[in-house]
């Protein structure tokens, strides 16, 4: 950097040194300001502006809602009922989310609708990427890294009376704000489609606030206290800063106390982008007792800790907690009605945070005074339920380290090791104190002193660091420890007070001499990604790159003065001449400061970034410069101490393999309006389809492998032409390349993707499996030797560290550096680091650090947006089973292989494509797939596993789970009760020979169904053979050493053609034979007797006909004679009888004839008639 001005720098050393420095600082400020103005000229400062709107308030201007509603809304169903011609499922009930994201942008801190309209007309479309944070309790919710990218839909705002334009006066873009069960933190990234105005990408958190509710008047109020609206200067001015404690990446709501003599706290759900000022609704009473040290009463909230769903505070010596209402986490309303006091009989002097969850729970620690001094209380928070346990369980720490009295100053819980790290103070004389670093293991209940802090500060003698070996010379300044801090990713532990000690194994410590012994550290803030800041009692700010030994002072410093001067020149709203720091904290890998600014007429609380890179760069420029005389003018030059110019990473795999992120891409419904603006109905459709997409993803848990292992495959499998509502809905899945089935499984997902140039600020996480190997290749270009003579040109020397946390089992890693101009690092895992775990569960944290010696705080890379530090790379690595891996039953290959081996395949009579049948007498050859739902890869499972029948029934409705004793009897080759369901020729068994151990090379399974098994003597239903449904469990836990994944798969297996028991078969045979024989005999008899039966029937019929004919003739003759005589003598009675016969024709014939015979008996007999004999021919 060169600046020449003969007028400003006259010939001859006539200026005093102080004036020269003042002028140099002014010139530096002008120079840097000119560079910024040049950047602003080429890149207009336009930023996204995003607010949250409720569903029914779409289109309203000036409205911003708070994020606390969590239940889906039935607001889109009526709209979907009108889509009769669209390829949607009419049987589904479509729901929507409660909120929309309203997106616009402003330039130069001003919102202009003209600019927004111009962006829309030039093709600008915001892209919203929502990343759901995984929950703490992985036993209840699935661990996954899920993202959904949505294209925003333009929407006209409601027209006001002042608007006279024909098309649009005000507009914005809208996307649904999705909510996912188990996630209360959503990271939102806003970017553009690279058309229209250049707008810088924006990233922020959209968190659910479970401490809000609606009162009787439908106003949104806090449940933890009363909201205040006046921030008075006496609440912040003259008050020292305090740490911000929370569970890293899991706490949606942050809380900060420390306001003197008041029950006031600051609370936020946007990481202090905005905040609320509350007076807590607690009783503020302090119960003293004989065993509690008495102190003055105060209402101050001293310690405040935020977890995923619970807030903790300490007031005086009392501890309270409040659980928020999070139905997305707990599936029920477990919110507290008021603050709950815990440990009421204890005297609590301090709360200590636990920054990381473990085993599905979060933790907080309470240090005691009085009767239980030497103990601590470990609080466990699981699903909003809080419980405390006093540790150590039997003897106090004082008794176990064999001292009479002691005091636990600080406690750190290393969750992956189940180890408490305690800083213990003990007095060995009336005026001297001794400090120990003590570990307590919760599993073994062992207490051990791992380090004794030196009594005095060592003499560094000009060195940057000093290894504490016990042979050093010491100053007369005593060491006074105040706390400890650990990072589970790099295993670095710091003991801090009026000194700073660093260790990677808890036993060997390094003294960092750059930190002055005259200062005392009040608290530290860590990003857990390689950066750390220190705040002293005098509000000084120091900075350290973890793994290095240089400690830099950020405030007060010359670099800070230059930065403040530049900000005041630009009239930045984030800075003031009179300000007070409230807290300092990291958000990701960026450092932020919460500051109370005091102006002439107003005061306010703001969150602003701390530009660490700029401060170090300014400080380097102001401390290292040369002023040389060149003839009649002077030359100002600056020294660059960075040993290299460019650092690039190469040979990186696809990001999905190590980020483990599943991404969906959604677009708004297509519309026909010429202007491209959407309506409320189309936005409602957008809501419903995004909700349905996430619902399909959450419900995807098929044990049978689909041809395409995609949660949405069932959506479009029968309508491939439409591919998910192409006319109304377009869905693209990012990061889901499809690989052919049975492709080889991928190895370890442990290669970084750190895009150049943002090397040191990247925060990728690599997840490794067994047999993992990762090779990083980077290229470093040395600085040219033809640069300015004052430039520092040196070779770059690299050193790497593969750091591992001490675990219950031995862990070895190998990091090698090839001696080449293009340096490579290979990170290998030797399968000895960790036990098997379910996908995404119990991941062990570690990291790899790559440092260029001499680059810490000296190497920077500038862009038009901001500066970045180079030369230090920390790569977090998670060892275990990666999220998104699952075991599935490979039904396609199983059927194909079984058909080849058995020479046939018979399916059930009633075919079910979702569950094909297998024949009982065929050998069953099961095959399984390892599916990666993130990358789309799948391959045959090559490891060992156990197969157990854990349930079953003759029908789907009658399936029951078997007891442990039944599972043993039905599956164990050692069973002697004649209860086996299946057997195999595989000889490998577990160590106790209880079960078979199988693999993809096993000879198969033969079905037995012995006498005491549940599938024995199964009654057939209908005329077909018996069927049975087996509930099969497949697990590789404890029998497979090829992977860290504990795969467990439970699926139903349909078997048909089961044989009958001998008794039942004999019974059915006898009954069937008897019935058949009886039918045959009956048929033979029937055939033999048929002619005689026909003849007999014929004779019988003739006889019957003769009888009927003769009877009819006699009856006719008699009736005719009677009728003739009656008509001659008694015509009247005859007519009466005749009419009666006609009227009563429906009466029986026998009754009529009887009446007629009775009537004829009263008449006189007819006269005798002589009939001559017949004369034949003569």
């Amino acid at each position: 950097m060169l600046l020449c001005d003969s007028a400003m720098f006259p010939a001859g050393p006539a200026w005093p040194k102080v004036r020269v420095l003042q002028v140099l600082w002014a010139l530096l400020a002008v120079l840097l300001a000119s560079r910024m103005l040049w950047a602003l000229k080429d890149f207009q400062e336009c930023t996204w502006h995003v607010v949250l709107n409720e569903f029914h308030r779409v289109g309203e201007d000036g409205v911003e809602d708070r994020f606390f509603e969590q239940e889906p809304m039935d607001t889109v169903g009526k709209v979907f009922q009108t889509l009769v011609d669209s390829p949607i499922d009419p049987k589904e009930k479509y729901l929507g989310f409660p909120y929309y994201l309203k997106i616009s942008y402003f330039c130069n801190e001003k919102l202009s609708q003209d600019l927004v309209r111009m962006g829309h007309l030039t093709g600008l479309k915001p892209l919203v990427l929502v990343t759901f944070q995984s929950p703490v309790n992985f036993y209840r919710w699935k661990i996954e890294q899920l993202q959904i990218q949505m294209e925003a839909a333009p929407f006209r705002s409601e027209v006001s009376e002042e608007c006279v334009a024909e098309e649009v006066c005000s507009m914005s873009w809208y996307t649904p704000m999705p909510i996912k069960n188990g996630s209360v933190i959503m990271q939102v990234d806003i970017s553009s489609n690279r058309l229209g105005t250049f707008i810088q990408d924006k990233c922020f958190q959209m968190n659910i606030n479970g401490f809000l509710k609606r009162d009787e008047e439908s106003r949104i109020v806090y449940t933890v206290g009363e909201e205040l609206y006046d921030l008075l200067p006496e609440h912040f001015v003259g008050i020292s800063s305090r740490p911000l404690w929370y569970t890293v990446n899991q706490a949606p709501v942050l809380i900060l106390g420390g306001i003197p003599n008041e029950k006031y706290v600051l609370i936020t759900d946007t990481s202090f982008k905005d905040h609320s000022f509350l007076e807590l609704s607690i009783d503020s009473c302090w119960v003293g007792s004989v065993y509690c040290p008495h102190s003055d009463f105060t209402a101050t909230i001293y310690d405040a800790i935020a977890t995923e769903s619970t807030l903790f505070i300490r007031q005086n010596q009392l501890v309270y907690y409040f659980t928020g209402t999070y139905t997305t986490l707990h599936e029920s309303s477990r919110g507290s009605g008021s603050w709950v006091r815990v440990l009421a009989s204890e005297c609590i002097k301090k709360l200590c945070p636990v920054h990381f969850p473990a085993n599905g729970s979060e933790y907080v620690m309470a240090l005691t005074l009085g009767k239980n001094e030497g103990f601590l209380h470990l609080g466990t928070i699981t699903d909003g339920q809080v419980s405390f346990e006093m540790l150590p369980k039997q003897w106090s720490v004082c008794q176990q380290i064999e001292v009479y009295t002691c005091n636990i100053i600080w406690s750190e819980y290393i969750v992956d090791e189940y180890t408490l790290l305690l800083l213990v103070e003990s007095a060995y004389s009336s005026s001297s104190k001794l400090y120990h670093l003590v570990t307590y293991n919760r599993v073994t209940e062992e207490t051990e002193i791992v380090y004794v802090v030196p009594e005095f500060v060592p003499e560094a003698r000009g060195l940057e660091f000093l290894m504490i070996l016990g042979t050093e010379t010491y100053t007369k300044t005593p060491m006074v420890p105040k706390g400890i801090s650990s990072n589970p990713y790099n295993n670095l532990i710091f003991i801090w007070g009026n000194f700073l000690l660093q260790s990677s194994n808890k036993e060997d410590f390094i003294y960092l001499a750059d930190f002055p012994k005259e200062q005392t550290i009040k608290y530290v803030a860590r990003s857990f990604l390689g950066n750390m800041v220190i705040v002293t009692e005098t509000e000084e700010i120091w900075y350290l790159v973890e793994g290095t030994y240089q400690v830099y002072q950020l405030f007060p410093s010359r670099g800070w003065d230059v930065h403040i001067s530049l900000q005041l020149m630009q009239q930045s709203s984030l800075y003031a001449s009179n300000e007070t720091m409230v807290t300092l904290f990291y958000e990701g890998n960026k450092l932020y400061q919460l500051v109370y600014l005091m102006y002439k007429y107003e005061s306010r609380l703001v969150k602003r970034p701390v530009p660490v890179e700029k401060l170090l760069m300014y400080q380097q420029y102001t401390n290292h410069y040369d002023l040389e005389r060149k003839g009649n003018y002077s030359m100002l030059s600056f020294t660059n101490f960075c040993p290299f110019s460019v650092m690039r990473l190469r040979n990186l795999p696809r990001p999905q393999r190590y980020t483990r992120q599943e991404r969906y891409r959604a677009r708004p419904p297509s519309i026909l309006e010429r202007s491209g603006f959407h309506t409320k109905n189309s936005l409602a459709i957008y809501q419903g389809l995004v909700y349905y997409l996430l619902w399909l993803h959450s419900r995807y848990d098929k044990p049978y492998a689909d041809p395409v292992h995609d949660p949405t495959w069932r959506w479009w499998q029968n309508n491939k032409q439409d591919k998910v509502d192409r006319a109304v809905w377009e869905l693209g899945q990012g990061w889901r390349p499809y690989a052919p089935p049975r492709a080889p499984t991928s190895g370890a997902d442990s290669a970084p993707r750190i895009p150049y140039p943002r090397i040191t600020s990247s925060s990728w996480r690599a997840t490794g499996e067994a047999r993992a190997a990762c090779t990083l290749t980077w290229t470093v270009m040395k600085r040219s030797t033809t640069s300015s003579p004052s430039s520092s040109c040196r070779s770059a020397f690299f050193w790497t560290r593969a750091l591992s946390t001490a675990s219950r089992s031995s862990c070895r890693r190998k990091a090698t550096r090839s001696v080449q101009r293009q340096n490579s690092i290979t990170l290998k895992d030797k399968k000895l680091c960790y036990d098997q775990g379910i996908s995404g569960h119990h991941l062990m944290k570690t990291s790899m650090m790559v440092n260029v010696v001499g680059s810490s705080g000296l190497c920077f890379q500038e862009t038009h947006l901001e500066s970045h530090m180079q030369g230090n790379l920390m790569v977090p690595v998670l060892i275990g089973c990666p999220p998104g891996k699952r075991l599935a039953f490979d039904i396609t290959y199983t059927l194909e292989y079984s058909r080849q081996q058995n020479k046939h395949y018979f399916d059930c009579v009633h075919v079910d494509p979702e569950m094909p049948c297998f024949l009982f007498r065929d050998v069953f050859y099961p095959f399984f797939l390892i599916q990666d739902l993130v990358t789309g890869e799948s391959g045959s499972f090559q490891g060992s596993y156990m197969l157990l029948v854990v349930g079953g029934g003759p029908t789907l409705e009658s399936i029951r789970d078997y007891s442990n004793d039944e599972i043993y009897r039905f599956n164990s080759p050692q069973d002697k009760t004649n209860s086996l369901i299946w057997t195999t020729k595989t000889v490998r068994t577990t160590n106790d020979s209880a079960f078979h151990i199988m693999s993809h090379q096993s000879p198969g399974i033969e079905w037995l169904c012995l006498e005491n098994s549940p599938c024995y003597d199964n009654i057939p239903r209908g005329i077909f053979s018996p069927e049975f449904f087996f509930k099969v469990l497949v697990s590789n836990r404890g029998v497979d050493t090829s992977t860290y994944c504990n795969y467990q798969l439970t699926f139903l297996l349909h078997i048909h053609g089961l044989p009958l028991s001998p008794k039942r078969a004999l019974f059915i045979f006898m009954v069937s034979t008897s019935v058949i024989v009886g039918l045959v005999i009956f048929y033979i008899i029937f055939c033999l007797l048929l002619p005689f039966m026909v003849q007999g029937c014929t004779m019988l019929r003739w006889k019957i006909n003769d009888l009927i004919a003769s009877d009819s003739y006699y009856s006719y003759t008699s009736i005719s004679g009677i009728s003739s005589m009656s008509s001659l003598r008694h015509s009247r009675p005859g007519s009466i009888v005749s009419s009666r016969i006609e009227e009563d024709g429906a009466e029986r014939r026998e009754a009529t004839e009887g009446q007629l015979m009775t009537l004829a008996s009263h008449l006189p007999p007819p006269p005798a008639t002589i009939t001559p004999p017949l004369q034949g021919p003569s």
Side-chain angles (χ1 to χ4, degrees), residues 952-956 958-959 1018-1019 1021 1027-1029:
T955 62
L956 290 174
S958 61
I959 294 177
N1018 193 17
I1019 302 175
R1021 295 178 180 273
E1027 299 178 353
F1028 205 86
F1029 293 88

Side-chain angles (χ1 to χ4, degrees), residues 103 130 194 304 386 400 416 508 582 598 661 715 818 830 871 880 979 990 1011 1024 1092 1102 1144-1145:
I103 305 170
V130 179
R194 307 309 177 195
V386 181
Q400 296 194 43
D416 293 334
D508 302 318
V582 179
M598 291 166 286
Q661 288 178 342
W715 197 355
S818 60
K830 295 188 176 181
S979 303
T990 56
E1011 183 177 359
F1024 302 107
F1092 301 99
W1102 280 105
D1144 300 334

Side-chain angles (χ1 to χ4, degrees), residues 740-782:
R742 308 194 59 76
T745 52
S746 59
D749 303 316
S750 54
R753 179 183 183 270
I754 305 173
Y756 174 84
R758 301 193 62 176
I759 296 175
T760 55
S761 63
S762 178
S763 60
W764 73 276
R765 294 188 178 187
T767 307
E769 238 187 310
R771 298 183 296 181
C774 162
T775 300
L776 265 85
T777 302
W778 75 84
T779 302
V780 178
M781 299 175 60
K782 296 198 304 182

Side-chain angles (χ1 to χ4, degrees), residues 38-80:
W38 169 82
L40 294 178
K41 182 179 179 181
D42 288 352
F43 300 96
Q44 190 178 17
E45 286 190 359
C46 295
T47 57
W48 295 108
H49 180 65
V50 184
V51 297
L52 195 71
N53 281 171
E54 292 184 2
F55 188 93
H56 61 278
R57 304 180 73 174
V58 173
E60 298 182 13
D61 288 333
V63 175
E64 183 174 358
D65 295 306
R66 311 182 83 164
F67 198 0
F68 76 100
E69 297 287 353
Q70 306 169 47
E71 296 294 334
M73 303 177 63
D74 188 10
T75 53
V76 301
K78 294 182 179 179
V79 180
F80 273 86

Side-chain angles (χ1 to χ4, degrees), residues 882-956:
K885 291 289 189 74
R886 79 177 196 121
L887 185 69
F889 181 37
D890 191 357
I891 184 62
T892 304
Y893 190 74
T894 299
L895 291 175
E896 179 184 350
Y897 190 82
S898 298
R899 183 180 289 108
Q900 293 176 359
Q901 297 298 318
N902 297 317
K903 309 302 181 184
H904 61 264
Y905 172 71
F906 298 105
D907 205 344
C908 290
V909 177
H910 303 287
V911 178
D912 184 3
E914 296 288 335
M915 189 187 302
C917 296
F918 293 91
L919 191 61
F920 178 86
R921 60 184 174 88
D922 289 345
V923 179
F924 177 59
Y925 300 94
F927 289 91
F928 302 95
L929 286 176
I930 299 297
Q931 293 185 340
D932 193 333
L933 299 178
V934 178
T935 64
E937 298 174 350
S938 66
S940 176
F941 177 58
Q942 304 291 327
S944 302
Y945 61 90
M946 290 190 304
L947 187 146
L948 304 175
V949 177
V950 297
T955 62
L956 290 174

Side-chain angles (χ1 to χ4, degrees), residues 460-466 500 511-517 549 551:
R461 298 181 180 180
L463 300 176
E464 292 181 345
F465 65 94
L466 186 66
L500 193 60
Y511 171 68
L512 304 182
D514 286 349
F515 183 78
K517 61 182 181 295
Y549 311 111
V551 185

Side-chain angles (χ1 to χ4, degrees), residues 356-581:
F356 293 93
N359 202 30
S361 301
E362 298 169 283
Y363 302 93
V364 65
M365 293 174 290
L367 306 183
T368 61
L369 282 174
K371 63 175 182 178
N372 289 326
E373 192 164 5
F375 294 89
L376 64 83
H377 295 269
L378 179 65
T380 303
I381 307 100
T382 306
D383 282 344
Q385 297 181 347
V386 181
S387 62
F388 278 88
E389 177 187 12
M390 190 170 70
L391 299 173
K393 294 183 177 180
Q394 297 180 353
W395 307 98
S396 68
V397 175
C398 306
Q399 294 172 322
Q400 296 194 43
I401 65 175
E402 298 179 352
V403 296
Y404 180 71
T405 58
C406 71
N407 178 23
I408 301 178
I409 301 176
W410 195 274
S411 178
E412 192 84 3
Y413 185 38
I414 305 176
V415 292
D416 293 334
E417 305 175 16
Y418 300 95
T419 299
L420 288 169
L421 202 60
L422 309 174
L423 183 60
V424 181
E425 174 191 16
S426 62
Y428 66 92
S429 65
S430 59
S431 59
S432 301
K433 296 180 180 180
L434 197 61
Y435 297 92
H436 303 84
L437 186 63
V438 181
T439 61
Y440 172 76
N441 190 282
R442 292 183 61 195
V443 178
T444 61
E445 299 184 7
E446 295 180 354
T447 304
E448 180 184 3
I449 299 177
V450 294
Y451 185 72
V452 179
V453 180
E455 185 176 356
F456 297 99
V457 177
E459 182 68 45
R461 298 181 180 180
L463 300 176
E464 292 181 345
F465 65 94
L466 186 66
M467 189 74 181
I468 305 296
L469 300 175
T471 59
E472 306 79 27
T473 58
Y474 294 89
T475 63
K476 295 183 180 180
T477 304
M479 274 190 169
V480 183
K482 295 293 185 179
I484 53 179
S485 178
S486 66
N487 187 346
Y489 286 105
N490 56 21
N491 203 29
L492 288 180
I493 297 174
F494 291 90
I495 303 178
W496 45 268
N498 61 340
F499 60 92
L500 193 60
L501 294 179
Q502 173 182 294
S503 174
S504 60
N505 60 2
K506 308 184 189 70
E507 298 177 358
D508 302 318
F509 281 83
I510 296 175
Y511 171 68
L512 304 182
D514 286 349
F515 183 78
K517 61 182 181 295
E518 294 78 18
Q519 294 289 337
T520 301
I521 299 175
K522 180 168 55 176
Y523 65 89
V524 299
R526 304 179 74 168
S527 67
F528 299 99
L529 296 173
N531 297 314
M532 172 180 173
V533 291
I534 300 165
V535 181
T536 66
E537 295 288 351
T538 58
E539 301 298 325
E540 292 185 0
I541 303 175
W542 295 73
Y543 172 76
L544 170 67
V545 177
E546 297 182 6
T548 63
Y549 311 111
Q550 295 82 20
V551 185
Y552 299 95
Q553 185 176 2
L554 300 181
F555 174 82
S557 65
R558 291 181 177 179
W560 184 270
D561 294 338
V562 173
H563 176 67
I564 289 294
S565 300
L566 293 174
Q567 297 300 319
L568 293 179
M569 287 174 55
Q570 298 177 11
Q571 298 181 352
S572 174
S573 60
L574 300 179
Y575 293 85
S577 57
N578 191 5
E579 59 185 31
T580 300
M581 184 175 70

